[in-house]
Amino acid sequence: MITVKKLNKKFGDNHVLRDIDEFIEKGEKVVIIGPSGSGKSTFLRSINLLETPTSGEIWYEDECITKPGYDADRIRRRMGMVFQHFNLFPHLNIMKNITLAPVMLKIMTQDEADERALRLLRRVSLQEKADAYPSSLSGGQKQRIAIVRSLAMNPQVMLFDEPTSALDPEMVGEVLDVIRELAEDGMTMIVVTHEMGFAREVGTRILLMDEGRIIEQNSPDRFFTEPKHPRVIEFLSKVL
Amino acid sequence: MFILEAIRDFFVGLGSQFYQTMIVDDRWKMLISGLQNTLIIAFFALLIGVAIGTFVAIVKVMAVMNSKSKLLRLLNWLCNIYINIIRGTPVVVQLLIMYFVVFVSVTNALFIAIVSFGLNSGAYVAEIMRAGILAVDKGQTEAGRSLGLSGSQTMKAIILPQAIKNILPALCNEFITLLKETSIAGYVAIQDLTKAGDRIRFTTYDPFTPLIVVALIYLVMVLGLTWIIGKFERRLAKSDNR
Ligand SMILES: Nc1ncnc2c1ncn2[C@@H]1O[C@H](COP(=O)(O)OP(=O)(O)OP(=O)(O)O)[C@@H](O)[C@H]1O
Ligand SMILES: [Mg+2]
């Protein structure tokens, strides 16, 4: 579904992604872990072109999305993205937060979008917040709304960048539950996280990034039980 | 007793001086029509300034976001020239050039002053707007773009509505600045508040009364506006935590 070929990204002299080759199949739940600054966010953000690769190619199904002139908005409509800091729109109520994009992009009428939004809100048990503003919500609620907002576009892939890192510990569970449910429904997803338990339980494949490279990848069971690369062993000893 | 009498005489003198200078021949009416011109110039100049400033600010912000677009690069270059010229030359000189060079054939001095102050204000408003837009969290743009909205859709529906809160109070301050700056309109034969006061000084040989009255009128307007801005800012701050 997503093919990454020799992807490189530099910020000035800082070589953040180095020759990344990766293939992600439909329905996979890929979890990316790794030390801070290793390029996890940059890799994720390159996939929906929030960052422009310095070199290399990214293919989505049979389209090369990194070729010059490719309309980035088109690919982003098919990929949802959830950020560490939620990034809800503070000037709009929850309903508008969710329906803004599908209505503005003429994918749905306001009525259709409202109906879909309510259905999604019920799924995350936040239907009574439809008319509330983001500032009146807890962090966990905000992140569940952010997930719903992405789902309103009916994406085929979901990208999560440390969706629980900014949350108080007691709210991590409610957000992970929503993501877990989404995974069970068969959504293709790429998740950057520090939640090792979650990675092991929900991931179908775990990648470890270090200094801009994917240095090890494996199925969750084997990843944690038979790490090979010394940097992976070192990393796991720190986080487990 | 002597001191009290002296004080009384002083105020009586002041009163009759005020009467002689301002009331006789209805001279105060000159101040009123002068004030009217001052307000007209400042108000319409601000409107022009906001129109130009919004455009320039959006060009500059978008040019940073899409550094590849040739059109935006050209527009950005033109905007920078405009800003540098406006900020690098005195406003009086700009006004004189407008009056004696650019609009030689136009007889309506008020119109020329409005355009001139509007063009001047635009450069400063652009900076106010740009700062207001940049103060909106970058995550907001990323959220909008990641949902598939275009750059201009994101700007319109997400960034500008939030930037307004940073911009409005600063715009009111810009109006205060304009109000005071228009006092040079007399250079191009406009009877604004300052010029009206100066005319009264000239005809009555009493510099004290008209100039102090003019200063007081400016001061009252500025303090009044400052007070309104203060209220306004507190209200906007409150609506943040609705
Ligand atoms: N917009 C940017 N401009 C310049 N440098 C950047 C930018 N974004 C990221 N970097 C740099 O790229 C490197 C990788 O950053 P990235 O955010 O991808 O790391 P990460 O693995 O997500 O780390 P963390 O776990 O802290 O989120 C860092 O050195 C960072 O300073
Ligand atoms: Mg990161």
mmCIF file with all atom_site columns, all heavy atoms in Angstrom, chain A residues 45 73 76-77 87-91 135 149 153, chain B residues 139-140 142 145-148 150 157-158 161-162 242:
data_model
loop_
_atom_site.group_PDB
_atom_site.id
_atom_site.type_symbol
_atom_site.label_atom_id
_atom_site.label_alt_id
_atom_site.label_comp_id
_atom_site.label_asym_id
_atom_site.label_entity_id
_atom_site.label_seq_id
_atom_site.pdbx_PDB_ins_code
_atom_site.Cartn_x
_atom_site.Cartn_y
_atom_site.Cartn_z
_atom_site.occupancy
_atom_site.B_iso_or_equiv
_atom_site.pdbx_formal_charge
_atom_site.auth_seq_id
_atom_site.auth_comp_id
_atom_site.auth_asym_id
_atom_site.auth_atom_id
_atom_site.pdbx_PDB_model_num
ATOM 1   N N   . ARG A 1 45  ? 5.832   12.186 9.109  1.00 0.00 ? 45  ARG A N   1
ATOM 2   C CA  . ARG A 1 45  ? 5.352   13.405 8.446  1.00 0.00 ? 45  ARG A CA  1
ATOM 3   C C   . ARG A 1 45  ? 5.728   13.427 6.960  1.00 0.00 ? 45  ARG A C   1
ATOM 4   O O   . ARG A 1 45  ? 5.090   14.113 6.174  1.00 0.00 ? 45  ARG A O   1
ATOM 5   C CB  . ARG A 1 45  ? 5.918   14.632 9.149  1.00 0.00 ? 45  ARG A CB  1
ATOM 6   C CG  . ARG A 1 45  ? 5.364   14.801 10.571 1.00 0.00 ? 45  ARG A CG  1
ATOM 7   C CD  . ARG A 1 45  ? 6.284   15.624 11.451 1.00 0.00 ? 45  ARG A CD  1
ATOM 8   N NE  . ARG A 1 45  ? 6.564   16.918 10.862 1.00 0.00 ? 45  ARG A NE  1
ATOM 9   C CZ  . ARG A 1 45  ? 5.744   17.965 10.961 1.00 0.00 ? 45  ARG A CZ  1
ATOM 10  N NH1 . ARG A 1 45  ? 4.648   17.868 11.655 1.00 0.00 ? 45  ARG A NH1 1
ATOM 11  N NH2 . ARG A 1 45  ? 6.038   19.094 10.376 1.00 0.00 ? 45  ARG A NH2 1
ATOM 12  N N   . ASP A 1 73  ? -2.477  17.644 -1.312 1.00 0.00 ? 73  ASP A N   1
ATOM 13  C CA  . ASP A 1 73  ? -3.788  17.610 -0.655 1.00 0.00 ? 73  ASP A CA  1
ATOM 14  C C   . ASP A 1 73  ? -4.538  16.320 -0.962 1.00 0.00 ? 73  ASP A C   1
ATOM 15  O O   . ASP A 1 73  ? -5.308  15.830 -0.148 1.00 0.00 ? 73  ASP A O   1
ATOM 16  C CB  . ASP A 1 73  ? -4.632  18.814 -1.103 1.00 0.00 ? 73  ASP A CB  1
ATOM 17  C CG  . ASP A 1 73  ? -3.984  20.121 -0.696 1.00 0.00 ? 73  ASP A CG  1
ATOM 18  O OD1 . ASP A 1 73  ? -3.216  20.107 0.277  1.00 0.00 ? 73  ASP A OD1 1
ATOM 19  O OD2 . ASP A 1 73  ? -4.238  21.144 -1.360 1.00 0.00 ? 73  ASP A OD2 1
ATOM 20  N N   . ARG A 1 76  ? -3.360  13.561 1.324  1.00 0.00 ? 76  ARG A N   1
ATOM 21  C CA  . ARG A 1 76  ? -3.689  13.819 2.733  1.00 0.00 ? 76  ARG A CA  1
ATOM 22  C C   . ARG A 1 76  ? -5.154  13.535 3.026  1.00 0.00 ? 76  ARG A C   1
ATOM 23  O O   . ARG A 1 76  ? -5.515  13.245 4.154  1.00 0.00 ? 76  ARG A O   1
ATOM 24  C CB  . ARG A 1 76  ? -3.364  15.265 3.079  1.00 0.00 ? 76  ARG A CB  1
ATOM 25  C CG  . ARG A 1 76  ? -1.866  15.542 3.023  1.00 0.00 ? 76  ARG A CG  1
ATOM 26  C CD  . ARG A 1 76  ? -1.568  16.901 3.560  1.00 0.00 ? 76  ARG A CD  1
ATOM 27  N NE  . ARG A 1 76  ? -0.174  17.262 3.347  1.00 0.00 ? 76  ARG A NE  1
ATOM 28  C CZ  . ARG A 1 76  ? 0.203   18.392 2.763  1.00 0.00 ? 76  ARG A CZ  1
ATOM 29  N NH1 . ARG A 1 76  ? -0.695  19.272 2.355  1.00 0.00 ? 76  ARG A NH1 1
ATOM 30  N NH2 . ARG A 1 76  ? 1.480   18.661 2.613  1.00 0.00 ? 76  ARG A NH2 1
ATOM 31  N N   . ARG A 1 77  ? -6.009  13.644 1.998  1.00 0.00 ? 77  ARG A N   1
ATOM 32  C CA  . ARG A 1 77  ? -7.420  13.324 2.228  1.00 0.00 ? 77  ARG A CA  1
ATOM 33  C C   . ARG A 1 77  ? -7.615  11.846 2.501  1.00 0.00 ? 77  ARG A C   1
ATOM 34  O O   . ARG A 1 77  ? -8.627  11.442 3.045  1.00 0.00 ? 77  ARG A O   1
ATOM 35  C CB  . ARG A 1 77  ? -8.246  13.729 1.004  1.00 0.00 ? 77  ARG A CB  1
ATOM 36  C CG  . ARG A 1 77  ? -8.531  15.209 0.995  1.00 0.00 ? 77  ARG A CG  1
ATOM 37  C CD  . ARG A 1 77  ? -9.023  15.704 -0.333 1.00 0.00 ? 77  ARG A CD  1
ATOM 38  N NE  . ARG A 1 77  ? -8.518  17.063 -0.512 1.00 0.00 ? 77  ARG A NE  1
ATOM 39  C CZ  . ARG A 1 77  ? -8.657  17.782 -1.617 1.00 0.00 ? 77  ARG A CZ  1
ATOM 40  N NH1 . ARG A 1 77  ? -9.283  17.278 -2.652 1.00 0.00 ? 77  ARG A NH1 1
ATOM 41  N NH2 . ARG A 1 77  ? -8.165  18.987 -1.669 1.00 0.00 ? 77  ARG A NH2 1
ATOM 42  N N   . ASN A 1 87  ? -3.993  19.426 18.509 1.00 0.00 ? 87  ASN A N   1
ATOM 43  C CA  . ASN A 1 87  ? -4.226  20.447 17.478 1.00 0.00 ? 87  ASN A CA  1
ATOM 44  C C   . ASN A 1 87  ? -5.687  20.557 17.066 1.00 0.00 ? 87  ASN A C   1
ATOM 45  O O   . ASN A 1 87  ? -5.994  20.698 15.888 1.00 0.00 ? 87  ASN A O   1
ATOM 46  C CB  . ASN A 1 87  ? -3.367  20.171 16.234 1.00 0.00 ? 87  ASN A CB  1
ATOM 47  C CG  . ASN A 1 87  ? -1.891  20.200 16.548 1.00 0.00 ? 87  ASN A CG  1
ATOM 48  O OD1 . ASN A 1 87  ? -1.492  20.621 17.629 1.00 0.00 ? 87  ASN A OD1 1
ATOM 49  N ND2 . ASN A 1 87  ? -1.076  19.755 15.626 1.00 0.00 ? 87  ASN A ND2 1
ATOM 50  N N   . LEU A 1 88  ? -6.590  20.497 18.030 1.00 0.00 ? 88  LEU A N   1
ATOM 51  C CA  . LEU A 1 88  ? -7.986  20.825 17.719 1.00 0.00 ? 88  LEU A CA  1
ATOM 52  C C   . LEU A 1 88  ? -8.065  22.317 17.404 1.00 0.00 ? 88  LEU A C   1
ATOM 53  O O   . LEU A 1 88  ? -7.196  23.090 17.801 1.00 0.00 ? 88  LEU A O   1
ATOM 54  C CB  . LEU A 1 88  ? -8.890  20.478 18.905 1.00 0.00 ? 88  LEU A CB  1
ATOM 55  C CG  . LEU A 1 88  ? -9.003  18.994 19.242 1.00 0.00 ? 88  LEU A CG  1
ATOM 56  C CD1 . LEU A 1 88  ? -9.964  18.787 20.407 1.00 0.00 ? 88  LEU A CD1 1
ATOM 57  C CD2 . LEU A 1 88  ? -9.455  18.177 18.041 1.00 0.00 ? 88  LEU A CD2 1
ATOM 58  N N   . PHE A 1 89  ? -9.124  22.708 16.700 1.00 0.00 ? 89  PHE A N   1
ATOM 59  C CA  . PHE A 1 89  ? -9.290  24.117 16.359 1.00 0.00 ? 89  PHE A CA  1
ATOM 60  C C   . PHE A 1 89  ? -10.034 24.819 17.495 1.00 0.00 ? 89  PHE A C   1
ATOM 61  O O   . PHE A 1 89  ? -11.231 24.586 17.679 1.00 0.00 ? 89  PHE A O   1
ATOM 62  C CB  . PHE A 1 89  ? -10.046 24.262 15.035 1.00 0.00 ? 89  PHE A CB  1
ATOM 63  C CG  . PHE A 1 89  ? -9.432  23.451 13.914 1.00 0.00 ? 89  PHE A CG  1
ATOM 64  C CD1 . PHE A 1 89  ? -10.216 22.651 13.103 1.00 0.00 ? 89  PHE A CD1 1
ATOM 65  C CD2 . PHE A 1 89  ? -8.059  23.483 13.691 1.00 0.00 ? 89  PHE A CD2 1
ATOM 66  C CE1 . PHE A 1 89  ? -9.646  21.898 12.077 1.00 0.00 ? 89  PHE A CE1 1
ATOM 67  C CE2 . PHE A 1 89  ? -7.483  22.740 12.671 1.00 0.00 ? 89  PHE A CE2 1
ATOM 68  C CZ  . PHE A 1 89  ? -8.279  21.940 11.868 1.00 0.00 ? 89  PHE A CZ  1
ATOM 69  N N   . PRO A 1 90  ? -9.359  25.670 18.258 1.00 0.00 ? 90  PRO A N   1
ATOM 70  C CA  . PRO A 1 90  ? -9.961  26.198 19.493 1.00 0.00 ? 90  PRO A CA  1
ATOM 71  C C   . PRO A 1 90  ? -11.147 27.129 19.253 1.00 0.00 ? 90  PRO A C   1
ATOM 72  O O   . PRO A 1 90  ? -11.965 27.309 20.132 1.00 0.00 ? 90  PRO A O   1
ATOM 73  C CB  . PRO A 1 90  ? -8.804  26.964 20.158 1.00 0.00 ? 90  PRO A CB  1
ATOM 74  C CG  . PRO A 1 90  ? -7.853  27.258 19.059 1.00 0.00 ? 90  PRO A CG  1
ATOM 75  C CD  . PRO A 1 90  ? -7.990  26.147 18.054 1.00 0.00 ? 90  PRO A CD  1
ATOM 76  N N   . HIS A 1 91  ? -11.224 27.712 18.041 1.00 0.00 ? 91  HIS A N   1
ATOM 77  C CA  . HIS A 1 91  ? -12.304 28.669 17.784 1.00 0.00 ? 91  HIS A CA  1
ATOM 78  C C   . HIS A 1 91  ? -13.567 27.994 17.281 1.00 0.00 ? 91  HIS A C   1
ATOM 79  O O   . HIS A 1 91  ? -14.562 28.669 17.032 1.00 0.00 ? 91  HIS A O   1
ATOM 80  C CB  . HIS A 1 91  ? -11.821 29.717 16.775 1.00 0.00 ? 91  HIS A CB  1
ATOM 81  C CG  . HIS A 1 91  ? -11.443 29.130 15.431 1.00 0.00 ? 91  HIS A CG  1
ATOM 82  N ND1 . HIS A 1 91  ? -10.457 28.177 15.298 1.00 0.00 ? 91  HIS A ND1 1
ATOM 83  C CD2 . HIS A 1 91  ? -11.927 29.337 14.196 1.00 0.00 ? 91  HIS A CD2 1
ATOM 84  C CE1 . HIS A 1 91  ? -10.352 27.844 14.023 1.00 0.00 ? 91  HIS A CE1 1
ATOM 85  N NE2 . HIS A 1 91  ? -11.238 28.534 13.339 1.00 0.00 ? 91  HIS A NE2 1
ATOM 86  N N   . SER A 1 135 ? -11.484 23.825 24.598 1.00 0.00 ? 135 SER A N   1
ATOM 87  C CA  . SER A 1 135 ? -10.848 24.184 25.863 1.00 0.00 ? 135 SER A CA  1
ATOM 88  C C   . SER A 1 135 ? -11.580 23.610 27.077 1.00 0.00 ? 135 SER A C   1
ATOM 89  O O   . SER A 1 135 ? -11.018 23.561 28.165 1.00 0.00 ? 135 SER A O   1
ATOM 90  C CB  . SER A 1 135 ? -10.752 25.706 25.985 1.00 0.00 ? 135 SER A CB  1
ATOM 91  O OG  . SER A 1 135 ? -12.040 26.268 25.903 1.00 0.00 ? 135 SER A OG  1
ATOM 92  N N   . ARG A 1 149 ? -11.964 13.415 14.293 1.00 0.00 ? 149 ARG A N   1
ATOM 93  C CA  . ARG A 1 149 ? -11.861 14.418 13.230 1.00 0.00 ? 149 ARG A CA  1
ATOM 94  C C   . ARG A 1 149 ? -11.155 13.833 12.005 1.00 0.00 ? 149 ARG A C   1
ATOM 95  O O   . ARG A 1 149 ? -11.551 14.082 10.869 1.00 0.00 ? 149 ARG A O   1
ATOM 96  C CB  . ARG A 1 149 ? -11.088 15.642 13.748 1.00 0.00 ? 149 ARG A CB  1
ATOM 97  C CG  . ARG A 1 149 ? -10.939 16.735 12.716 1.00 0.00 ? 149 ARG A CG  1
ATOM 98  C CD  . ARG A 1 149 ? -10.264 17.956 13.278 1.00 0.00 ? 149 ARG A CD  1
ATOM 99  N NE  . ARG A 1 149 ? -8.876  17.695 13.644 1.00 0.00 ? 149 ARG A NE  1
ATOM 100 C CZ  . ARG A 1 149 ? -8.066  18.604 14.182 1.00 0.00 ? 149 ARG A CZ  1
ATOM 101 N NH1 . ARG A 1 149 ? -8.516  19.822 14.445 1.00 0.00 ? 149 ARG A NH1 1
ATOM 102 N NH2 . ARG A 1 149 ? -6.827  18.297 14.479 1.00 0.00 ? 149 ARG A NH2 1
ATOM 103 N N   . MET A 1 153 ? -12.937 12.062 7.642  1.00 0.00 ? 153 MET A N   1
ATOM 104 C CA  . MET A 1 153 ? -12.543 12.133 6.228  1.00 0.00 ? 153 MET A CA  1
ATOM 105 C C   . MET A 1 153 ? -12.530 10.742 5.586  1.00 0.00 ? 153 MET A C   1
ATOM 106 O O   . MET A 1 153 ? -12.218 10.614 4.406  1.00 0.00 ? 153 MET A O   1
ATOM 107 C CB  . MET A 1 153 ? -11.155 12.760 6.098  1.00 0.00 ? 153 MET A CB  1
ATOM 108 C CG  . MET A 1 153 ? -11.122 14.247 6.337  1.00 0.00 ? 153 MET A CG  1
ATOM 109 S SD  . MET A 1 153 ? -11.990 15.172 5.075  1.00 0.00 ? 153 MET A SD  1
ATOM 110 C CE  . MET A 1 153 ? -10.927 14.906 3.660  1.00 0.00 ? 153 MET A CE  1
ATOM 111 N N   . GLY B 2 139 ? 0.916   24.005 14.796 1.00 0.00 ? 139 GLY B N   1
ATOM 112 C CA  . GLY B 2 139 ? 0.132   22.772 14.771 1.00 0.00 ? 139 GLY B CA  1
ATOM 113 C C   . GLY B 2 139 ? -1.238  22.958 14.131 1.00 0.00 ? 139 GLY B C   1
ATOM 114 O O   . GLY B 2 139 ? -1.808  22.015 13.589 1.00 0.00 ? 139 GLY B O   1
ATOM 115 N N   . GLN B 2 140 ? -1.770  24.179 14.191 1.00 0.00 ? 140 GLN B N   1
ATOM 116 C CA  . GLN B 2 140 ? -3.068  24.449 13.589 1.00 0.00 ? 140 GLN B CA  1
ATOM 117 C C   . GLN B 2 140 ? -2.996  24.316 12.070 1.00 0.00 ? 140 GLN B C   1
ATOM 118 O O   . GLN B 2 140 ? -3.870  23.721 11.444 1.00 0.00 ? 140 GLN B O   1
ATOM 119 C CB  . GLN B 2 140 ? -3.539  25.856 13.973 1.00 0.00 ? 140 GLN B CB  1
ATOM 120 C CG  . GLN B 2 140 ? -3.830  26.003 15.452 1.00 0.00 ? 140 GLN B CG  1
ATOM 121 C CD  . GLN B 2 140 ? -5.081  25.253 15.846 1.00 0.00 ? 140 GLN B CD  1
ATOM 122 O OE1 . GLN B 2 140 ? -6.132  25.430 15.259 1.00 0.00 ? 140 GLN B OE1 1
ATOM 123 N NE2 . GLN B 2 140 ? -4.963  24.379 16.834 1.00 0.00 ? 140 GLN B NE2 1
ATOM 124 N N   . GLU B 2 142 ? -0.758  22.570 10.474 1.00 0.00 ? 142 GLU B N   1
ATOM 125 C CA  . GLU B 2 142 ? -0.490  21.171 10.160 1.00 0.00 ? 142 GLU B CA  1
ATOM 126 C C   . GLU B 2 142 ? -1.759  20.338 10.248 1.00 0.00 ? 142 GLU B C   1
ATOM 127 O O   . GLU B 2 142 ? -1.999  19.462 9.422  1.00 0.00 ? 142 GLU B O   1
ATOM 128 C CB  . GLU B 2 142 ? 0.580   20.623 11.096 1.00 0.00 ? 142 GLU B CB  1
ATOM 129 C CG  . GLU B 2 142 ? 1.906   21.315 10.861 1.00 0.00 ? 142 GLU B CG  1
ATOM 130 C CD  . GLU B 2 142 ? 3.037   20.693 11.635 1.00 0.00 ? 142 GLU B CD  1
ATOM 131 O OE1 . GLU B 2 142 ? 2.753   19.920 12.571 1.00 0.00 ? 142 GLU B OE1 1
ATOM 132 O OE2 . GLU B 2 142 ? 4.190   20.989 11.297 1.00 0.00 ? 142 GLU B OE2 1
ATOM 133 N N   . ARG B 2 145 ? -3.822  21.192 7.125  1.00 0.00 ? 145 ARG B N   1
ATOM 134 C CA  . ARG B 2 145 ? -3.242  20.610 5.921  1.00 0.00 ? 145 ARG B CA  1
ATOM 135 C C   . ARG B 2 145 ? -3.352  19.094 5.934  1.00 0.00 ? 145 ARG B C   1
ATOM 136 O O   . ARG B 2 145 ? -3.603  18.466 4.915  1.00 0.00 ? 145 ARG B O   1
ATOM 137 C CB  . ARG B 2 145 ? -1.775  21.028 5.758  1.00 0.00 ? 145 ARG B CB  1
ATOM 138 C CG  . ARG B 2 145 ? -1.519  22.522 5.567  1.00 0.00 ? 145 ARG B CG  1
ATOM 139 C CD  . ARG B 2 145 ? -2.341  23.160 4.480  1.00 0.00 ? 145 ARG B CD  1
ATOM 140 N NE  . ARG B 2 145 ? -2.194  22.577 3.157  1.00 0.00 ? 145 ARG B NE  1
ATOM 141 C CZ  . ARG B 2 145 ? -1.285  22.962 2.265  1.00 0.00 ? 145 ARG B CZ  1
ATOM 142 N NH1 . ARG B 2 145 ? -0.449  23.931 2.547  1.00 0.00 ? 145 ARG B NH1 1
ATOM 143 N NH2 . ARG B 2 145 ? -1.213  22.378 1.080  1.00 0.00 ? 145 ARG B NH2 1
ATOM 144 N N   . SER B 2 146 ? -3.166  18.479 7.094  1.00 0.00 ? 146 SER B N   1
ATOM 145 C CA  . SER B 2 146 ? -3.198  17.012 7.133  1.00 0.00 ? 146 SER B CA  1
ATOM 146 C C   . SER B 2 146 ? -4.612  16.484 6.894  1.00 0.00 ? 146 SER B C   1
ATOM 147 O O   . SER B 2 146 ? -4.799  15.321 6.568  1.00 0.00 ? 146 SER B O   1
ATOM 148 C CB  . SER B 2 146 ? -2.640  16.486 8.454  1.00 0.00 ? 146 SER B CB  1
ATOM 149 O OG  . SER B 2 146 ? -3.579  16.670 9.479  1.00 0.00 ? 146 SER B OG  1
ATOM 150 N N   . LEU B 2 147 ? -5.621  17.353 7.042  1.00 0.00 ? 147 LEU B N   1
ATOM 151 C CA  . LEU B 2 147 ? -6.987  16.931 6.717  1.00 0.00 ? 147 LEU B CA  1
ATOM 152 C C   . LEU B 2 147 ? -7.267  17.084 5.223  1.00 0.00 ? 147 LEU B C   1
ATOM 153 O O   . LEU B 2 147 ? -8.355  16.755 4.762  1.00 0.00 ? 147 LEU B O   1
ATOM 154 C CB  . LEU B 2 147 ? -7.996  17.770 7.505  1.00 0.00 ? 147 LEU B CB  1
ATOM 155 C CG  . LEU B 2 147 ? -8.105  17.417 8.997  1.00 0.00 ? 147 LEU B CG  1
ATOM 156 C CD1 . LEU B 2 147 ? -8.851  18.508 9.747  1.00 0.00 ? 147 LEU B CD1 1
ATOM 157 C CD2 . LEU B 2 147 ? -8.800  16.082 9.184  1.00 0.00 ? 147 LEU B CD2 1
ATOM 158 N N   . GLY B 2 148 ? -6.297  17.623 4.488  1.00 0.00 ? 148 GLY B N   1
ATOM 159 C CA  . GLY B 2 148 ? -6.461  17.751 3.042  1.00 0.00 ? 148 GLY B CA  1
ATOM 160 C C   . GLY B 2 148 ? -6.896  19.131 2.595  1.00 0.00 ? 148 GLY B C   1
ATOM 161 O O   . GLY B 2 148 ? -7.130  19.362 1.418  1.00 0.00 ? 148 GLY B O   1
ATOM 162 N N   . SER B 2 150 ? -6.445  22.951 1.502  1.00 0.00 ? 150 SER B N   1
ATOM 163 C CA  . SER B 2 150 ? -5.355  23.640 0.818  1.00 0.00 ? 150 SER B CA  1
ATOM 164 C C   . SER B 2 150 ? -4.796  24.733 1.730  1.00 0.00 ? 150 SER B C   1
ATOM 165 O O   . SER B 2 150 ? -5.388  25.050 2.761  1.00 0.00 ? 150 SER B O   1
ATOM 166 C CB  . SER B 2 150 ? -5.867  24.262 -0.473 1.00 0.00 ? 150 SER B CB  1
ATOM 167 O OG  . SER B 2 150 ? -6.727  25.336 -0.158 1.00 0.00 ? 150 SER B OG  1
ATOM 168 N N   . ALA B 2 157 ? -10.139 29.409 7.039  1.00 0.00 ? 157 ALA B N   1
ATOM 169 C CA  . ALA B 2 157 ? -11.059 28.808 8.003  1.00 0.00 ? 157 ALA B CA  1
ATOM 170 C C   . ALA B 2 157 ? -10.431 28.576 9.369  1.00 0.00 ? 157 ALA B C   1
ATOM 171 O O   . ALA B 2 157 ? -11.139 28.463 10.366 1.00 0.00 ? 157 ALA B O   1
ATOM 172 C CB  . ALA B 2 157 ? -11.591 27.485 7.446  1.00 0.00 ? 157 ALA B CB  1
ATOM 173 N N   . ILE B 2 158 ? -9.103  28.472 9.415  1.00 0.00 ? 158 ILE B N   1
ATOM 174 C CA  . ILE B 2 158 ? -8.471  28.075 10.677 1.00 0.00 ? 158 ILE B CA  1
ATOM 175 C C   . ILE B 2 158 ? -7.541  29.153 11.228 1.00 0.00 ? 158 ILE B C   1
ATOM 176 O O   . ILE B 2 158 ? -7.619  29.518 12.396 1.00 0.00 ? 158 ILE B O   1
ATOM 177 C CB  . ILE B 2 158 ? -7.708  26.747 10.488 1.00 0.00 ? 158 ILE B CB  1
ATOM 178 C CG1 . ILE B 2 158 ? -8.722  25.649 10.144 1.00 0.00 ? 158 ILE B CG1 1
ATOM 179 C CG2 . ILE B 2 158 ? -6.934  26.381 11.746 1.00 0.00 ? 158 ILE B CG2 1
ATOM 180 C CD1 . ILE B 2 158 ? -8.112  24.404 9.602  1.00 0.00 ? 158 ILE B CD1 1
ATOM 181 N N   . PRO B 2 161 ? -9.248  33.295 11.568 1.00 0.00 ? 161 PRO B N   1
ATOM 182 C CA  . PRO B 2 161 ? -10.181 33.517 12.691 1.00 0.00 ? 161 PRO B CA  1
ATOM 183 C C   . PRO B 2 161 ? -9.478  33.541 14.046 1.00 0.00 ? 161 PRO B C   1
ATOM 184 O O   . PRO B 2 161 ? -9.935  34.208 14.970 1.00 0.00 ? 161 PRO B O   1
ATOM 185 C CB  . PRO B 2 161 ? -11.135 32.322 12.600 1.00 0.00 ? 161 PRO B CB  1
ATOM 186 C CG  . PRO B 2 161 ? -11.029 31.826 11.213 1.00 0.00 ? 161 PRO B CG  1
ATOM 187 C CD  . PRO B 2 161 ? -9.631  32.125 10.761 1.00 0.00 ? 161 PRO B CD  1
ATOM 188 N N   . GLN B 2 162 ? -8.377  32.816 14.164 1.00 0.00 ? 162 GLN B N   1
ATOM 189 C CA  . GLN B 2 162 ? -7.651  32.833 15.440 1.00 0.00 ? 162 GLN B CA  1
ATOM 190 C C   . GLN B 2 162 ? -6.708  34.027 15.522 1.00 0.00 ? 162 GLN B C   1
ATOM 191 O O   . GLN B 2 162 ? -6.477  34.585 16.597 1.00 0.00 ? 162 GLN B O   1
ATOM 192 C CB  . GLN B 2 162 ? -6.849  31.544 15.610 1.00 0.00 ? 162 GLN B CB  1
ATOM 193 C CG  . GLN B 2 162 ? -7.733  30.321 15.735 1.00 0.00 ? 162 GLN B CG  1
ATOM 194 C CD  . GLN B 2 162 ? -6.925  29.060 15.936 1.00 0.00 ? 162 GLN B CD  1
ATOM 195 O OE1 . GLN B 2 162 ? -6.205  28.900 16.912 1.00 0.00 ? 162 GLN B OE1 1
ATOM 196 N NE2 . GLN B 2 162 ? -7.032  28.147 14.986 1.00 0.00 ? 162 GLN B NE2 1
ATOM 197 N N   . ARG B 2 242 ? -13.593 29.729 26.681 1.00 0.00 ? 242 ARG B N   1
ATOM 198 C CA  . ARG B 2 242 ? -15.028 29.452 26.768 1.00 0.00 ? 242 ARG B CA  1
ATOM 199 C C   . ARG B 2 242 ? -15.256 27.960 26.914 1.00 0.00 ? 242 ARG B C   1
ATOM 200 O O   . ARG B 2 242 ? -14.421 27.154 26.587 1.00 0.00 ? 242 ARG B O   1
ATOM 201 C CB  . ARG B 2 242 ? -15.767 29.991 25.558 1.00 0.00 ? 242 ARG B CB  1
ATOM 202 C CG  . ARG B 2 242 ? -15.205 29.480 24.238 1.00 0.00 ? 242 ARG B CG  1
ATOM 203 C CD  . ARG B 2 242 ? -15.895 30.165 23.098 1.00 0.00 ? 242 ARG B CD  1
ATOM 204 N NE  . ARG B 2 242 ? -15.111 30.001 21.885 1.00 0.00 ? 242 ARG B NE  1
ATOM 205 C CZ  . ARG B 2 242 ? -15.378 30.643 20.775 1.00 0.00 ? 242 ARG B CZ  1
ATOM 206 N NH1 . ARG B 2 242 ? -16.362 31.498 20.726 1.00 0.00 ? 242 ARG B NH1 1
ATOM 207 N NH2 . ARG B 2 242 ? -14.642 30.447 19.702 1.00 0.00 ? 242 ARG B NH2 1
#
